[in-house]
Amino acid sequence: MKIAIIGAGNLGLSIAKGILHSNGATTMHLTKRHIDSIKEFEKYGNVTVTSDNSKAVRESDILIFAVQPGHFEAILHEVKDLLTEKHVVISTITGFSIQKIESVIGKDAYIIRSMPNTAISVGKSMTCLCSNTAGAKRIDLAKAIFNRMGHSMEIPESQMQAATVICASGIAFWMRLIRATTQGAIQLGFDAREAQELAMHTCNGAAALLIESGNHPEEEIDRVTTPMGCTIEGLNEMEHQGLSSSLIRGIVASFEKISQIRKG
Ligand SMILES: NC(=O)c1ccc[n+]([C@@H]2O[C@H](COP(=O)([O-])OP(=O)(O)OC[C@H]3O[C@@H](n4cnc5c(N)ncnc54)[C@H](OP(=O)(O)O)[C@@H]3O)[C@@H](O)[C@H]2O)c1
């Protein structure tokens, strides 16, 4: 695959590293206006670092755009006449609709919108993807790219905002749960570093149990709750204090806020 990352900033470079570390590109072009900070990527023999977006587009098939929203439209105008049917346009730009992209480069272009989260920097992003009608033919290709950096799911574009709450804001929600568990562990006598280690690896293990077994969370809970035991005592106290309810309300509040922001 000949891949170009247009806008090699935080997200663009995380994607680049994920692809390069899994040998996912035959060639890769990395573009930004000020290239000094990314020159080191040329140590990978197949990487070209350039500020010339047109060159990157001409010499690549998969174009991953990772610029700030305010820059995207101008760059699309800059390269639109170079696009051919070999190109797949993958946008990571939050809130920039497929319709808006089509209005510049046309409905026939293969267009895919992606919504990764910050865990992409460690190869563990939950990435949601949607496409225009033409792009549906290339969605499996996009999934294969993002599966190298975690896990991906195709969703309708109308669910992109909801997915932003669950997956992008979700990173912050899970961090708070890990921090709270850490604070509990400190109160039980562990020092801060040990407490965080216990909390984060237990969280990792819980997610892995579900991912690998395909079980429902309650099945795994049943396995660790002895009748009249300490786990159910703790769990029920958390629920009396509103654990599930506060998480659901927080998610809904976050969704209402993102919906207002997008309308405004
Ligand atoms: N960070 C995340 O986890 C995340 C998650 C989901 C979605 N997103 C989306 O991803 C996009 C990028 O976010 P980010 O945090 O990676 O931003 P960032 O670090 O600011 O990166 C954007 C890059 O674009 C480059 N750029 C600006 N104008 C350009 C041009 N004309 N041609 C080529 N490159 C250009 C900038 O470098 P120069 O100034 O040197 O050109 C900069 O390195 C945003 O639209 C955001 O909504 C980010």
Side-chain angles (χ1 to χ4, degrees), residues 40-98:
E40 65 191 271
F41 276 81
E42 287 189 332
K43 73 177 182 225
Y44 297 92
N46 57 344
V47 173
T48 305
V49 167
T50 177
S51 55
D52 184 348
N53 290 330
S54 299
K55 173 183 160 68
V57 169
R58 273 195 305 270
E59 294 176 6
S60 308
D61 305 329
I62 317 282
L63 312 175
I64 303 178
F65 289 86
V67 294
Q68 290 293 340
H71 294 144
F72 189 32
E73 194 165 345
I75 296 171
L76 284 177
H77 280 288
E78 183 188 329
V79 302
K80 71 174 181 191
D81 293 334
L82 303 171
L83 297 177
T84 66
E85 68 162 28
K86 73 171 184 174
H87 288 112
V88 181
V89 170
I90 302 180
S91 161
T92 66
I93 288 105
T94 314
F96 207 102
S97 69
I98 287 176

Side-chain angles (χ1 to χ4, degrees), residues 5-14 31-35 37-38 50-53 65-72 74-75 78 91-95 114-120 168:
I5 311 238
I6 311 288
N10 288 320
L11 179 62
L13 288 181
S14 290
T31 83
K32 70 197 292 284
R33 292 166 302 182
H34 313 99
I35 56 173
S37 60
I38 57 165
T50 177
S51 55
D52 184 348
N53 290 330
F65 289 86
V67 294
Q68 290 293 340
H71 294 144
F72 189 32
I75 296 171
E78 183 188 329
S91 161
T92 66
I93 288 105
T94 314
S114 65
M115 220 280 307
N117 64 29
T118 50
I120 202 158

